[in-house]
Amino acid sequence: MENNVPRVRFAPSPTGFLHIGGARTALFNWLYARHNDGVFVFRIEDTDRTRSTDEYIAAILDGMKWLGLDWDEGPYRQTDRMDIYKKYIRKLIDEDKAYYCYCSPGELEQRRKEAAGTGGHMKYDGRCRERKTPVPDVRPVVRFRMPRDGKTVVEDLIRGNVAYDNAMFDDFIIMRSDGTPTYNFVVVVDDVEMGMTHIIRGDDHLNNTPKQIHIYRALGCNVPKFAHLPMILGSDKTRLSKRHGATSVQAYREMGYLPEALLNYLVRLGWSYGDQEVFSRDELVEKFTLDNIGKAAAVFNPEKLLWMNGQYMKDTPSSKLGELVMPFLVRDGILSEGHALDEEWLSRAIDTLKERAKTLVDMAKSLRYYIAEEVEFDEKARAKFLNEKSLPYLEDLRDAVSADDDFSERSLEEIFKAIMEKHDIKLRKIAQPVRVAMTGGTESPGIFEILDIIGKEKVIKRLEKAITMIKVS
Ligand code: GLU
């Protein structure tokens, strides 16, 4: 059957959360499918039952959905497909392309030790290759008959041709003695059954590929095209791991990153398009090709990701950021559950903050001083700015604001001007104490903006509080 529709897949093992590297693999497959009007298949490789959990499956699904990497087929689960694998194992045995091996783990261990003693590398020696009769009371494994000489060439779309001496390999196990099939075998069966045309995955799988190529051949199937993605390293140039800080998609979500920013950052780990850094999703779909993936390992740089997120925060409409920040306000105890905020007000508040907030968590933190009933003071700021010197300005401001029915940016400017003239001071002298009285700290958006957002009633309350604090201290 001639089928021109490209079919690719993301096939994570649910032995952990969705990792940055996994998410990048998923993204590249997704982009490949979308760019080529292909099909993106999602498959859970959970044959390792001791390490796979339902919790991780749910977390991976959740991460994919959050990133907006929608799949066209699946999620398939390998544990639902055991009968299919058995059928293929049977076929290979019947055709003598695989065989039962009765060597016990103890015997293999013994041989390994002997090989180590002579400095040799332990490969299975093929002892059961020609065995015709079963060994009573022993549950055998099934081994795949690998060629013993010659070479296998992996024609990789990113790496070029990579040749392996077949002498490197042994007759590897495709079914354990408990009847469960192994990764190198099931991955091929699934990729055949699911009609994969391209296998795009991390290059930690490159060395498995020659074995898999022989299984395709043994099954009489076309070998798909391979594209092995360069590794992702941490700042110290070792493979990215927990030692380098947060590495799961979930962790970035909880730290207040936007999925679009994370995707944009991930795509640049290995793929490039001239010097361009920021891409919309549509642009990525339009521009993504495997040709633009480099061979060199990519270094994960959390600061750059943070910068990227800041760019996306700036470009996201404030009303949308308002929706996105709500769960963080509740989670971080800034807003009680079920408490609604006026959407229009929240949007205006966010307008004043989005230039500097790098994450939704930053944003929530800054919103605290707009929302909270009580200001939390930074002690240093309080001591420096809320004191006898600023007291008369704060009192004048309180009186003037109380009498100001307008409470607009213009009327506030007038009020400030009058106080500055009366005391012969610069704006800074009054703005900083007011800023501390309003926000607890010395950094915030423009003073008139924040007064406007906080609103007359709360402004007066906060001025009163600052005045009282100065007086009793
Ligand atoms: N399940 C494998 C993994 O999570 C991926 C297999 C593949 O892409 O071929 O590493």
Side-chain angles (χ1 to χ4, degrees), residues 21-22 91 101 125 132 151 177 203-204 207 228-229 268 282 294-295 315 319 365 395 397 438 442 461-462:
K91 179 169 144 73
C101 166
D125 59 7
K132 294 283 176 278
K151 283 186 192 299
S177 58
D203 70 2
D204 47 333
N207 292 343
H228 284 95
L229 305 171
R268 295 282 292 106
D282 287 346
K295 287 193 182 81
D315 290 345
S319 55
K365 215 158 136 201
E395 285 179 324
L397 184 63
M438 294 301 128
T442 52
K461 239 171 87 186
R462 289 181 188 185

Side-chain angles (χ1 to χ4, degrees), residues 173-304:
I173 295 174
I174 57 175
M175 193 177 85
R176 303 179 187 92
S177 58
D178 65 2
T180 55
T182 59
Y183 161 70
N184 277 311
F185 176 70
V186 290
V187 79
V188 174
V189 170
D190 282 343
D191 287 338
V192 164
E193 286 258 323
M194 296 175 191
M196 293 301 119
T197 58
H198 295 72
I199 307 297
I200 305 168
R201 61 185 172 193
D203 70 2
D204 47 333
H205 286 292
L206 183 64
N207 292 343
N208 287 321
T209 309
K211 298 183 194 175
Q212 295 175 12
I213 287 176
H214 287 287
I215 296 179
Y216 282 104
R217 290 184 187 156
L219 296 175
C221 299
N222 286 338
V223 179
K225 294 200 163 39
F226 292 101
H228 284 95
L229 305 171
M231 279 221 278
I232 303 178
L233 307 177
S235 51
D236 58 356
K237 305 285 156 68
T238 63
R239 201 193 157 97
L240 185 67
S241 73
K242 286 208 185 92
R243 282 181 300 115
H244 298 105
T247 53
S248 74
V249 168
Q250 182 151 330
Y252 283 94
R253 180 180 185 175
E254 283 166 12
M255 288 190 287
Y257 284 71
L258 303 177
E260 301 295 336
L262 185 55
L263 282 184
N264 194 153
Y265 180 71
L266 288 179
V267 82
R268 295 282 292 106
L269 292 176
W271 181 84
S272 60
Y273 192 84
D275 295 336
Q276 192 172 340
E277 289 288 353
V278 182
F279 300 86
S280 70
R281 191 182 284 255
D282 287 346
E283 233 176 324
L284 286 178
V285 168
E286 184 198 315
K287 296 187 163 146
F288 185 83
T289 60
L290 296 178
D291 302 343
N292 287 347
I293 298 176
K295 287 193 182 81
V299 176
F300 181 70
N301 178 345
E303 282 96 55
K304 193 161 163 207

Side-chain angles (χ1 to χ4, degrees), residues 363-402:
M363 175 75 81
K365 215 158 136 201
S366 298
L367 282 169
R368 182 189 288 275
Y369 55 70
Y370 286 149
I371 295 169
E373 282 308 318
E374 293 294 331
V375 175
E376 283 174 28
F377 289 94
D378 168 65
E379 269 318 306
K380 249 171 71 196
R382 188 176 95 133
K384 184 159 175 207
F385 292 105
L386 299 185
N387 50 36
E388 289 298 331
K389 236 160 79 206
S390 58
L391 181 62
Y393 320 148
L394 296 172
E395 285 179 324
D396 283 357
L397 184 63
R398 174 203 53 198
D399 296 343
V401 166
S402 308

Side-chain angles (χ1 to χ4, degrees), residues 303-316:
E303 282 96 55
K304 193 161 163 207
L305 171 53
L306 186 61
W307 169 82
M308 183 70 83
N309 205 61
Q311 298 299 306
Y312 274 82
M313 295 279 292
K314 265 189 223 152
D315 290 345
T316 303

Side-chain angles (χ1 to χ4, degrees), residues 9-15 25 29 43-46 78 183 187 191 199-202 204-205 212 228:
R9 76 330 189 252
F10 175 49
S13 303
T15 55
T25 302
N29 278 284
R43 179 170 82 223
I44 305 284
E45 304 212 318
D46 59 345
Q78 289 186 326
Y183 161 70
V187 79
D191 287 338
I199 307 297
I200 305 168
R201 61 185 172 193
D204 47 333
H205 286 292
Q212 295 175 12
H228 284 95

